[in-house]
């Protein structure tokens, strides 16, 4: 995959239909085939039809070092 455009919003931002439409328009004009968002944002956006279609990206994390320093936080 190749990223051709991006729209960045602060964490916990409620994306409006207008913002989503503008992001889709920018993505389409840049030649995007999909508009990607996280699972968390997809829940908030719901099944909103449009072009390019929404694709949900699953994000996972794994602590590979320093786990002991996080205990008790």
């Amino acid at each position: 995959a190749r990223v051709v455009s991006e729209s960045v919003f602060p964490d916990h931002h409620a994306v409006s239909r207008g913002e989503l439409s503008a992001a889709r328009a920018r993505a389409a004009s840049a030649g995007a085939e999909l508009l990607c968002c996280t699972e968390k944002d997809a829940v908030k956006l719901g099944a909103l039809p449009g072009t390019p279609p929404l694709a949900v990206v699953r994000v996972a994390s794994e602590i590979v070092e320093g786990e002991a320093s996080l205990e008790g936080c």
Side-chain angles (χ1 to χ4, degrees):
R2 184 173 62 91
V3 176
V4 296
S5 179
E6 69 178 84
S7 296
V8 179
F9 300 101
D11 197 22
H12 304 290
H13 176 74
V15 178
S16 70
R17 286 184 183 266
E19 289 171 325
L20 181 57
S21 293
R24 278 187 157 139
R26 285 191 303 276
S29 70
E33 296 176 14
L34 296 170
L35 187 66
C36 297
C37 68
T38 63
E39 289 176 300
K40 181 177 116 178
D41 291 326
V43 169
K44 293 186 273 183
L45 293 172
L48 297 175
T51 304
L54 285 177
V56 179
V57 177
R58 179 171 285 162
V59 178
S61 61
E62 177 184 359
I63 299 170
V64 294
E65 188 175 312
E67 183 176 356
S69 65
L70 296 174
E71 291 180 15
C73 288

